[in-house]
Amino acid sequence: MLDERIQLIARRSFVAALSTPVAALLLLFIAHAEQLAQTMPFGIWFTLVLSSVAISLSLTTPVFIYKRPPSRPQLWLHGYMGSKFLLGITWGSAVWFLLQQPTPVMSLMVYVVLCGIGAVVVIMQSIFWRSAMSFLLGLLLPVLLKALAPQSVLEIYIAIAGVLYVGLLALYSAVINRQLTEGVRAGIDARLLTEDLLQANLRAEQALSALQTEHGQLQQALRTIRQMAEQDELTRLMNRRAMLDQLHASHARLHSGRTATTTLALFDIDLFKQINDQHGHDIGDRVLLALAIRLGDALHSGEQLARFGGEEFIILFDGLDSAAAAQRIATLQAVLDAAPLLPAPLDFPVTASFGIATLSLQQSVDQWLKHADEAMYDAKRNGRNQLQIKR
């Protein structure tokens, strides 16, 4: 809190210093009007006042400009109180320098200016009550000393009035000091609360960001798990589980009337065991992958291809009857026959036997699959590389 009070008084001192030449020039103007300027050492007094102001500013200006409290606040505060005491004495010494041959108007203006300067200092300096008291005591001391050797009874009355006035200013300064101190403390509490809120908000944002990151990672993990559960690892086609879901969905659409017909084709690669036995399972895996890529590229929109197990595959033709599906199978057989899947080491086309079954309202999905499987084995028994339709 001391640092904040020092910065506040530094700002106020810088502004208050501007009033010094204005008040001094006012006294010089009155002295000229009263034709006293030639008989008083105004220049000496004014130089002393400016010097004491400069000492005070040398302490406050760096704090004001750089907006940074001094490295040793307590030592700075003692020096600042000393500069205020010195400034008060130089202002109070006006009764010695400017009232050597006083006129009533000049005397009145000197004491009015001193009272005004005292009030200004109390208002500006009361954030540090002791510094305000230092100035007021310095201001009062020359007036009291002059009253010890009075040239008139009026000077004694003025000294008594000065003591009373300084006492009132001291009480007023104490009230202002309490209000300013509470204001500074409230400002610090508000700033600390704001900083705490900002820190809490920052932590909340960081926690939210971490949760979002974790959520993204979890979603990615779920997608990976779902993909692993529904995708064949080798061919990247749908696996048996995913295709069964599609078959059940087609069965539901047929029974709800959303589709008029749907057909599936189950096919098995011909002589695949010989390929594995003669060339190894790695070549067999390459054949499966190449077939998946070639047929996948040849499929139309809405046609779904899946690896059903081993060398068995299934194609779902949703919305096609058996005749239309047979035409599509013939096209796909031609795609397979067009060129070897693996030119090396297999220099011959790989063929497959197809069985087609169209779903009826009386069938379950298992019966539907069983009919397609029976048609596929009929194709194999009839010489392979054929298509059989289950009627």
Side-chain angles (χ1 to χ4, degrees):
M1 182 173 174
L2 179 59
D3 291 343
E4 284 76 9
R5 293 168 68 192
I6 288 175
Q7 290 180 324
L8 177 60
I9 205 170
R11 291 194 298 271
R12 293 187 166 202
S13 295
F14 190 82
V15 174
L18 301 178
S19 65
T20 297
V22 176
L25 291 176
L26 175 62
L27 293 178
L28 178 61
F29 174 78
I30 299 299
H32 275 288
E34 294 294 300
Q35 298 180 350
L36 298 175
Q38 302 299 324
T39 63
M40 62 175 61
F42 181 86
I44 297 175
W45 172 79
F46 188 58
T47 300
L48 291 175
V49 172
L50 290 182
S51 298
S52 59
V53 170
I55 293 173
S56 177
L57 288 177
S58 68
L59 294 171
T60 58
T61 300
V63 177
F64 174 72
I65 292 176
Y66 298 110
K67 294 180 174 56
R68 186 172 60 247
S71 57
R72 301 174 66 183
Q74 290 295 341
L75 181 61
W76 181 93
L77 184 57
H78 287 116
Y80 182 74
M81 290 171 56
S83 72
K84 289 301 164 186
F85 182 74
L86 178 62
L87 182 60
I89 287 179
T90 55
W91 269 107
S93 65
V95 299
W96 292 88
F97 285 93
L98 306 185
L99 297 181
Q100 294 180 357
Q101 297 178 348
T103 64
V105 173
M106 188 66 189
S107 298
L108 176 63
M109 289 307 301
V110 167
Y111 286 112
V112 166
V113 168
L114 292 182
C115 290
I117 289 294
V120 169
V121 169
V122 165
I123 294 173
M124 293 293 182
Q125 304 294 321
S126 288
I127 187 64
F128 284 115
W129 187 78
R130 287 180 296 173
S131 69
M133 292 303 97
S134 296
F135 179 85
L136 291 177
L137 290 176
L139 185 68
L140 184 61
L141 184 60
V143 177
L144 294 177
L145 290 177
K146 191 170 180 59
L148 293 177
Q151 296 179 355
S152 66
V153 177
L154 180 62
E155 292 180 348
I156 297 177
Y157 291 152
I158 289 174
I160 294 173
V163 171
L164 294 175
Y165 182 68
V166 168
L168 290 175
L169 287 180
L171 292 175
Y172 181 62
S173 177
V175 173
I176 296 178
N177 173 263
R178 184 172 64 254
Q179 293 175 345
L180 290 175
T181 302
E182 291 175 353
V184 170
R185 183 179 292 110
I188 293 174
D189 292 342
R191 187 187 67 194
L192 293 176
L193 178 60
T194 301
E195 291 176 354
D196 289 342
L197 290 174
L198 290 175
Q199 289 295 324
N201 185 58
L202 178 60
R203 289 193 296 269
E205 289 180 353
Q206 292 173 342
L208 178 60
S209 178
L211 287 175
Q212 289 174 338
T213 300
E214 292 179 3
H215 178 71
Q217 293 173 346
L218 178 60
Q219 290 298 314
Q220 180 61 41
L222 289 174
R223 285 192 293 270
T224 301
I225 293 172
R226 187 178 297 112
Q227 187 178 49
M228 293 173 63
E230 298 179 351
Q231 187 181 72
D232 180 63
E233 184 177 359
L234 174 64
T235 62
R236 304 303 180 191
L237 298 175
M238 283 189 294
N239 59 16
R240 184 186 187 94
R241 178 194 299 271
M243 179 51 78
L244 285 174
D245 289 341
Q246 295 300 319
L247 296 180
H248 282 285
S250 295
H251 184 271
R253 285 193 295 272
L254 182 68
H255 278 262
S256 65
R258 286 177 290 166
T259 185
T261 183
T262 185
T263 301
L264 67 82
L266 188 65
F267 68 93
D268 184 277
I269 298 176
D270 295 329
L271 304 175
F272 186 73
K273 184 176 183 303
Q274 293 183 14
I275 294 175
N276 279 334
D277 292 342
Q278 294 176 10
H279 302 283
H281 287 276
D282 57 332
I283 297 299
D285 288 346
R286 290 175 59 191
V287 168
L288 293 173
L289 178 58
L291 181 141
I293 294 173
R294 184 175 294 185
L295 291 185
D297 292 341
L299 293 179
H300 289 169
S301 177
E303 299 175 350
Q304 301 180 72
L305 174 64
R307 185 183 179 191
F308 213 55
E311 66 271 23
E312 279 189 353
F313 293 81
I314 192 169
I315 304 175
L316 177 62
F317 298 102
D318 212 0
L320 298 184
D321 59 16
S322 57
Q327 292 179 358
R328 288 292 300 135
I329 294 299
T331 301
L332 296 177
Q333 285 180 310
V335 170
L336 284 177
D337 291 339
L341 287 176
L342 299 177
L346 304 180
D347 57 354
F348 53 88
V350 173
T351 63
S353 300
F354 291 81
I356 290 179
T358 299
L359 178 65
S360 68
L361 291 174
Q362 294 77 29
Q363 289 178 325
S364 66
V365 171
D366 290 338
Q367 291 170 331
W368 187 21
L369 281 169
K370 181 179 179 182
H371 287 173
D373 187 63
E374 291 173 352
M376 180 186 70
Y377 277 98
D378 286 343
K380 284 187 174 292
R381 282 192 293 268
N382 291 336
R384 299 186 180 87
N385 193 21
Q386 293 186 18
L387 166 65
Q388 291 292 322
I389 301 176
K390 186 69 173 180
R391 301 298 180 180

